[in-house]
Amino acid sequence: AWGEVARRLAHEIKNPLTPIQLSAERMRRKYLDSMSADEAQILDRATHTIVQQVEAMKEMVNAFSDYARAPDIEIGIFDMDKLVHEVVDLYRAQESGIDIVLTSDPTMPMIEADIGRVRQILHNLIRNATEALETTRNGRIDVHVSAAEVDGVNVLQIKVEDNGPGFREGSLNQVFDPYVTTKPKGTGLGLAIVKKLVEEHVGSIRAYNNTEGGAVISIRLPINEAAREAVISKSPGRGDKRRERA
């Protein structure tokens, strides 16, 4: 019920945002060149602020909608090494000045999971790290992906770490809560969405600060259906959220 309310609310908020943005851009084009220097500067600053803040609101509404959305999970078989290279290459192409280093094992077995959700996990983690490095010189993000056996269960391990300021002391137990953020441009939903997607795969996630500085997000996802069933059998409550989606 809350998910349906959230989706409708996001839709209603998003509807007026585009005409607001288009109107500001139209005013800018029509009047900017015909004004005096002082008036043009005011209009330029005002319309730029409107457009910028509308874009920020759109991002927040999209994130809110993603967090509320709960479509059925679609399990498929895919190459995780190929997927993580595709996602990382997208962020490298943005020329943000941040060095993104990927360590992935090309001999990993094929993964049984929802490829759309796993792609979203990677996007959110790298974007979150990128935003955290906005004020850091020589920013670096390390992405590690590998397969392993943990407590007798075959898992996919994803770790994203950066050399930014890290998590604030005392906030580690809140980093996955909705609308909790320390970043000026953050919506507070990125890591909350990641946690939700991980739980839908009966996985685990944790956040901590690197001893050398910077934040680390570590994720373990069961590598296939047999591994997910093994996790559920060891902790029966872990499968409740996934069964609700079935």
Side-chain angles (χ1 to χ4, degrees), residues 128-143:
N128 190 72
T130 300
E131 292 174 353
L133 292 172
E134 284 188 347
T135 58
T136 302
R137 294 183 60 187
N138 302 318
R140 172 175 169 139
I141 300 172
D142 285 276
V143 181

Side-chain angles (χ1 to χ4, degrees), residues 83-191:
L83 176 63
V84 71
H85 272 88
E86 289 176 358
V87 174
V88 168
D89 285 345
L90 285 174
Y91 286 88
R92 284 173 174 164
Q94 292 180 2
E95 298 182 359
S96 61
I98 297 172
D99 187 20
I100 304 179
V101 180
L102 171 61
T103 305
S104 178
D105 181 4
T107 66
M108 278 188 296
M110 300 293 280
I111 307 302
E112 291 183 27
D114 186 318
I115 188 171
R117 281 168 161 81
V118 175
R119 181 183 286 111
Q120 191 176 2
I121 287 172
L122 293 169
H123 274 298
N124 282 356
L125 290 180
I126 297 174
R127 183 166 58 243
N128 190 72
T130 300
E131 292 174 353
L133 292 172
E134 284 188 347
T135 58
T136 302
R137 294 183 60 187
N138 302 318
R140 172 175 169 139
I141 300 172
D142 285 276
V143 181
H144 306 270
V145 179
S146 62
E149 184 177 321
V150 179
D151 297 329
V153 177
N154 291 321
V155 299
L156 171 69
Q157 298 187 131
I158 303 172
K159 185 167 71 171
V160 176
E161 52 186 313
D162 62 65
N163 64 340
F167 298 110
R168 289 181 181 173
E169 188 175 350
S171 69
L172 279 172
N173 60 342
Q174 297 178 311
V175 296
F176 298 116
D177 291 348
Y179 304 109
V180 174
T181 181
T182 58
K183 302 190 296 294
K185 296 181 180 179
T187 63
L189 284 171
L191 291 181

Side-chain angles (χ1 to χ4, degrees), residues 17-239:
L17 294 182
T18 297
I20 291 172
Q21 183 175 1
L22 291 176
S23 296
E25 291 172 344
R26 192 175 297 118
M27 289 171 57
R28 181 188 182 91
R29 287 194 303 269
K30 185 172 179 62
Y31 298 112
L32 193 61
D33 294 335
S34 61
M35 290 181 166
S36 66
D38 289 342
E39 291 174 332
Q41 186 178 17
I42 293 172
L43 180 64
D44 179 51
R45 187 164 57 246
T47 53
H48 177 73
T49 299
I50 292 170
V51 171
Q52 189 179 51
Q53 294 305 312
V54 166
E55 284 295 333
M57 288 181 69
K58 281 183 177 179
E59 289 182 10
M60 187 178 300
V61 169
N62 287 336
F64 182 51
S65 182
D66 286 342
Y67 184 68
R69 182 171 53 90
D72 291 340
I73 191 167
E74 297 181 4
I75 300 295
I77 301 175
F78 60 93
D79 185 338
M80 183 63 191
D81 180 65
K82 180 180 178 181
L83 176 63
V84 71
H85 272 88
E86 289 176 358
V87 174
V88 168
D89 285 345
L90 285 174
Y91 286 88
R92 284 173 174 164
Q94 292 180 2
E95 298 182 359
S96 61
I98 297 172
D99 187 20
I100 304 179
V101 180
L102 171 61
T103 305
S104 178
D105 181 4
T107 66
M108 278 188 296
M110 300 293 280
I111 307 302
E112 291 183 27
D114 186 318
I115 188 171
R117 281 168 161 81
V118 175
R119 181 183 286 111
Q120 191 176 2
I121 287 172
L122 293 169
H123 274 298
N124 282 356
L125 290 180
I126 297 174
R127 183 166 58 243
N128 190 72
T130 300
E131 292 174 353
L133 292 172
E134 284 188 347
T135 58
T136 302
R137 294 183 60 187
N138 302 318
R140 172 175 169 139
I141 300 172
D142 285 276
V143 181
H144 306 270
V145 179
S146 62
E149 184 177 321
V150 179
D151 297 329
V153 177
N154 291 321
V155 299
L156 171 69
Q157 298 187 131
I158 303 172
K159 185 167 71 171
V160 176
E161 52 186 313
D162 62 65
N163 64 340
F167 298 110
R168 289 181 181 173
E169 188 175 350
S171 69
L172 279 172
N173 60 342
Q174 297 178 311
V175 296
F176 298 116
D177 291 348
Y179 304 109
V180 174
T181 181
T182 58
K183 302 190 296 294
K185 296 181 180 179
T187 63
L189 284 171
L191 291 181
I193 290 171
V194 169
K195 183 175 185 289
K196 178 169 169 281
L197 298 175
V198 169
E199 288 177 344
E200 288 174 351
H201 282 85
V202 202
S204 62
I205 183 170
R206 68 187 185 106
Y208 57 95
N209 285 322
N210 202 324
T211 54
E212 299 175 358
V216 183
I217 301 293
S218 178
I219 292 171
R220 287 176 179 169
L221 301 176
I223 211 164
N224 52 32
E225 191 63 30
R228 280 187 284 276
E229 292 300 328
V231 173
I232 293 172
S233 66
K234 292 181 179 182
S235 305
R238 293 284 294 279

